[in-house]
């Protein structure tokens, strides 16, 4: 029997409530003419893409920003958010990245948090523009049932995803539609908010018209998803020598974050290594039988490893992977005589969440005044020889 669909405990607070007039600047005359939201649930995260056509009122002043609204629950699980301004049509489209930051304005009476996308060119009265917003939510899929006893090599895992049938916006939305894409057509149940349709692995909510600001219509989707792993902690150490090769060592602490199984067979996604990899990787995974191999390709090397069988009711895994990089491909000299190393601060494994990520750069003896440049907030813990950057997902 299909279990009853649950809803988030906070959603009632957002149901058909309106933002107060003091929440937005008095000169703000923005309205959303049309909105299309696409929610990708094909992996362990929720990847949301929203296309907004916004219009500034003819009676308003120039608009320097467009506000985005998130529930407290979304803010808690928000990995990142970015926005792009799109001008032109078809092949003549121009995409301009926008800076997105948490707004200093107080939260709405029901707790919705506002973020602002800053416009480099102000939106004049009577003008309209298109914004594309991308944000990612982690740890938002709830396994149900939470425990599965199965002898199958491919156990069937069901998860719940909770959201709203309409977009949470601080503006009046004239027209909007939401699409939800799932990994397969194995959908157990979903909330119906007319008009709603489901065809195969895609679900459609809308089209809805003339929705007031901060409108929230709670929905839940119960569907089948594959087991997924989460990296609880990743510690990367990059040893930069004076000559030779850069030595990179990654220490992983990983767990299975879906339903708990009595028996697990799982092949993890490939870890993509830099294309200039010169030395073979090593893999150490104590307590769990594992196989690994490196398959060179035309542009990248991929390290595949398979966890054959984990402990009873899920698994935890700690392992180390190391590789070397040619120094001349990553170390450069600037015009002022300083040296800089250009490395990717990121996670190489496909479609996997990292909860805690720290990178330590060990510089050659005699290095002075280290400085890091990264496109997102980090915590620096540097000394004259080591520079450490930490970021939580």
């Amino acid at each position: 029997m299909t279990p009853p669909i649950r809803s988030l405990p906070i959603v009632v607070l957002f149901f058909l409530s309106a933002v107060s007039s003091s929440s937005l600047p008095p000169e703000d005359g923005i309205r959303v003419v049309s909105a299309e939201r696409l929610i990708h649930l094909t992996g362990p995260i929720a990847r949301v893409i929203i296309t907004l056509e916004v219009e500034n009122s003819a009676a308003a002043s120039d608009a320097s920003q467009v506000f985005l609204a998130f529930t407290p629950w979304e803010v808690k699980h928000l990995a990142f958010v970015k926005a792009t301004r799109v001008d032109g049509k078809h092949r003549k489209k121009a995409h301009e990245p926008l800076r997105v930051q948490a707004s200093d304005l107080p939260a709405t009476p029901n707790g919705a948090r506002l973020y602002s996308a800053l416009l480099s060119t102000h939106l004049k009265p009577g003008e309209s523009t298109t914004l594309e917003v991308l944000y990612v939510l982690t740890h938002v899929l709830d396994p149900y049932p939470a425990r599965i006893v199965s002898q199958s090599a491919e156990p069937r895992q069901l998860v719940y995803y909770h959201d709203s049938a309409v977009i949470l916006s601080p503006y009046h939305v004239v027209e909007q539609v939401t699409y939800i894409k799932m990994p397969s057509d194995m959908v157990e149940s979903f909330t119906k908010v007319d008009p709603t349709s489901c065809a195969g692995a895609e679900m459609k909510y809308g089209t809805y018209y003339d929705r007031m600001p901060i409108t929230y219509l709670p929905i839940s989707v119960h569907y089948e998803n594959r087991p997924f792993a989460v990296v609880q902690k990743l510690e990367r150490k990059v040893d930069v020598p004076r000559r030779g090769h850069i030595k990179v060592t990654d220490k992983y602490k990983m767990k299975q974050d879906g339903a708990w199984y009595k028996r697990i067979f799982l092949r993890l996604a490939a870890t993509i290594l830099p294309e200039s990899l010169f030395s073979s990787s090593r893999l150490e995974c104590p307590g769990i039988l594992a196989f690994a191999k490196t398959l060179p390709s035309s542009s990248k090397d991929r390290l595949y490893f398979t966890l054959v069988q984990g402990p009873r009711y899920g698994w935890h895994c700690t392992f180390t992977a190391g590789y070397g990089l040619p120094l001349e491909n990553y170390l450069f000299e600037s015009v002022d005589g300083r040296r800089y190393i250009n490395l990717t601060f990121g996670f190489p494994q496909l479609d996997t969440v990292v909860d805690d990520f720290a990178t330590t750069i060990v510089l050659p003896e005699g290095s002075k005044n280290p400085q890091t440049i990264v496109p997102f907030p980090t915590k620096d813990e540097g000394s004259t020889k080591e520079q450490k950057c930490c970021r939580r997902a």
Side-chain angles (χ1 to χ4, degrees):
M1 182 176 67
T2 302
I5 293 180
R6 301 171 297 159
S7 59
L8 292 174
I10 63 170
V11 295
V12 179
L13 300 176
F14 294 90
F15 185 73
L16 294 178
S17 58
V19 64
S20 67
S21 58
S22 61
S23 296
L24 297 179
E27 70 275 8
D28 199 306
I30 296 292
R31 71 167 183 165
V32 179
V33 178
S34 66
E36 180 181 290
R37 179 175 54 163
L38 179 59
I39 304 175
H40 288 273
L41 300 178
T42 54
I45 62 176
R47 184 180 290 106
V48 184
I49 302 173
I50 303 179
T51 302
L52 301 172
E53 182 183 349
V54 297
E55 180 183 74
N56 195 11
S57 171
S61 58
D62 291 4
S64 61
Q65 57 190 338
V66 175
F67 288 99
L68 311 171
F70 296 92
T71 68
W73 179 80
E74 287 177 321
V75 172
K76 179 181 177 181
H77 296 275
L78 188 64
F80 75 88
V81 56
K82 65 179 182 179
T84 304
R85 186 174 184 175
V86 182
D87 290 320
K89 295 182 179 180
H90 306 297
R91 294 184 178 180
K92 295 184 178 181
K93 281 186 178 181
H95 294 76
E96 177 192 2
L98 303 178
R99 188 159 63 95
V100 180
Q101 62 185 24
S103 174
D104 294 332
L105 295 175
T108 63
N110 45 35
R113 182 70 185 274
L114 298 179
Y115 283 68
S116 58
L118 306 180
L119 304 177
S120 58
T121 303
H122 291 187
L123 192 63
K124 298 186 178 300
E127 291 185 346
S128 63
T129 190
T130 300
L131 300 184
E132 292 182 355
V133 180
L134 167 65
Y135 63 91
V136 171
L137 303 174
T138 63
H139 300 292
V140 293
L141 303 182
D142 299 327
Y144 190 89
R147 291 175 179 264
I148 299 176
V149 178
S150 174
Q151 297 299 320
S152 172
E154 296 292 338
R156 188 167 180 255
Q157 174 180 270
L158 300 175
V159 296
Y160 264 113
Y161 175 73
H162 309 283
D163 210 311
S164 170
V166 296
I167 298 170
L168 186 69
S169 173
Y171 306 112
H172 172 232
V173 183
V174 179
E175 179 181 334
Q176 63 178 295
V177 63
T178 292
Y179 298 93
I180 301 178
K181 289 191 175 182
M182 290 157 290
S184 70
D185 58 357
M186 301 298 294
V187 180
E188 292 290 302
S189 62
F190 60 92
T191 306
K192 293 183 179 180
V193 181
D194 290 335
T196 303
S197 61
C198 183
E202 183 173 292
M203 194 172 300
K204 178 183 177 182
Y205 283 91
T207 304
Y208 303 111
Y209 300 94
D210 293 322
R211 292 291 172 172
M212 296 299 293
I214 312 298
T215 299
Y216 196 100
L217 301 178
I219 60 171
S220 295
V221 182
H222 192 208
Y223 66 98
E224 182 177 344
N225 199 347
R226 60 179 174 81
F228 45 86
V230 168
V231 177
Q232 294 175 290
K233 189 173 184 179
L234 170 57
E235 295 180 341
R236 173 171 297 160
K237 184 178 181 180
V238 181
D239 198 338
V240 183
R242 290 188 176 276
R243 60 181 62 87
H245 296 85
I246 299 173
K247 180 183 177 182
V248 182
T249 304
D250 291 341
K251 294 183 178 180
Y252 294 82
K253 182 181 180 182
M254 185 178 290
K255 72 172 183 177
Q256 197 276 127
D257 201 38
W260 280 31
Y261 301 97
K262 183 176 181 180
R263 185 179 183 186
I264 290 183
F265 286 83
L266 177 63
R267 179 185 177 94
L268 295 179
T271 295
I272 299 180
L273 302 175
E275 58 184 82
S276 54
L277 176 74
F278 89 97
S279 65
S280 60
S281 300
R282 66 181 185 275
L283 179 66
E284 303 168 5
C285 191
I288 296 181
L289 184 59
F291 297 100
K293 60 180 178 179
T294 303
L295 299 180
S297 63
S298 58
S299 60
K300 295 181 177 66
D301 283 341
R302 297 173 183 262
L303 174 65
Y304 292 88
F305 56 96
T306 303
L307 301 179
V308 179
Q309 183 172 350
R312 185 178 178 88
Y313 297 122
W315 55 261
H316 292 260
C317 180
T318 302
F319 64 91
T320 300
Y323 52 91
L325 303 171
L327 186 63
E328 62 272 14
N329 289 4
Y330 296 89
L331 186 64
F332 307 94
E333 186 173 349
S334 60
V335 292
D336 60 359
R338 300 184 66 186
R339 296 178 181 270
Y340 66 94
I341 183 170
N342 190 0
L343 294 173
T344 299
F345 187 87
F347 180 57
Q349 192 167 319
L350 301 176
D351 211 14
T352 304
V353 175
V354 181
D355 289 336
D356 196 347
F357 184 18
T359 296
T360 301
I361 309 292
V362 182
L363 302 175
E365 200 69 40
S367 301
K368 299 178 181 178
N369 303 322
Q371 179 185 6
T372 56
I373 302 176
V374 290
F376 43 75
T378 59
K379 179 182 178 182
D380 286 350
E381 300 174 0
S383 64
T384 57
K385 185 178 179 181
E386 293 189 3
Q387 187 78 6
K388 185 176 182 180
C389 295
C390 304
R391 187 193 189 198
R392 289 185 179 271

